């Protein structure tokens, strides 16, 4: 059984930093990419940052230059610097994978709250 577990959220003042981590356990045939999404109250879930198996990264315009995504074996992290109140949201880890029949399988974590407030 695959489990996706995020950690590292919390309360931080504007201008501060947080590092989110996501650990994937269980058997996955092939991981295509790992992403971080976020969802603020009353808003749709949005892609924050993603990294492919080959190491290519992409970022939402709102976080470019402030956030950095990285991965290691079965782990993806999001370093968030210069945080702003508008970064407040629940952050979700998403795993894009393929099964043994090359079918698409998505895995999601339970989310971790990030609150930026003075």
């Amino acid at each position: 059984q695959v489990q996706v577990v995020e950690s590292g959220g919390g309360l931080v003042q504007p201008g501060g930093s947080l590092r989110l981590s996501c650990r994937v356990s269980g058997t996955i045939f092939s991981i295509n990419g790992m992403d971080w999404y976020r969802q603020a109250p009353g808003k749709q879930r949005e892609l924050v940052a993603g990294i492919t198996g080959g190491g290519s990264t992409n970022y939402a315009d709102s976080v470019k230059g402030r956030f950095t995504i990285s991965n290691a074996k079965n782990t993806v992290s999001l370093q968030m610097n210069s945080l702003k109140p508008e970064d407040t949201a629940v952050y979700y880890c998403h795993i894009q994978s393929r099964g043994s029949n090359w079918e698409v399988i998505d895995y999601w974590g339970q989310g971790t709250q990030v609150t930026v407030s003075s």
Side-chain angles (χ1 to χ4, degrees):
Q1 183 178 357
V2 175
Q3 287 190 316
V4 180
V5 180
E6 303 105 332
S7 60
L11 173 65
V12 64
Q13 292 187 341
S17 298
L18 279 177
R19 185 176 181 86
L20 305 183
S21 292
C22 171
R23 187 174 67 86
V24 183
S25 61
T27 302
I28 297 180
F29 185 77
S30 176
I31 294 179
N32 289 351
M34 308 170 93
D35 312 299
W36 285 96
Y37 283 75
R38 68 185 180 188
Q39 187 167 19
K43 295 188 177 181
Q44 289 189 331
R45 190 173 296 189
E46 64 173 352
L47 177 66
V48 176
I51 186 166
T52 67
S56 297
T57 59
N58 63 286
Y59 297 92
D61 288 342
S62 59
V63 307
K64 282 180 181 176
R66 301 188 297 121
F67 290 12
T68 303
I69 190 170
S70 61
N71 68 338
K73 183 178 179 181
N74 291 347
T75 301
V76 59
S77 299
L78 186 68
Q79 178 66 41
M80 305 186 294
N81 299 328
S82 303
L83 282 161
K84 305 175 181 179
E86 51 263 44
D87 294 318
T88 296
V90 178
Y91 284 70
Y92 297 91
C93 179
H94 169 245
I95 309 300
Q96 314 165 31
S97 76
R98 295 279 183 175
S100 57
N101 294 318
W102 217 238
E103 71 275 24
V104 174
I105 303 175
D106 292 318
Y107 297 99
W108 290 91
Q110 80 287 351
T112 185
Q113 177 70 47
V114 171
T115 302
V116 184
S117 175
S118 55

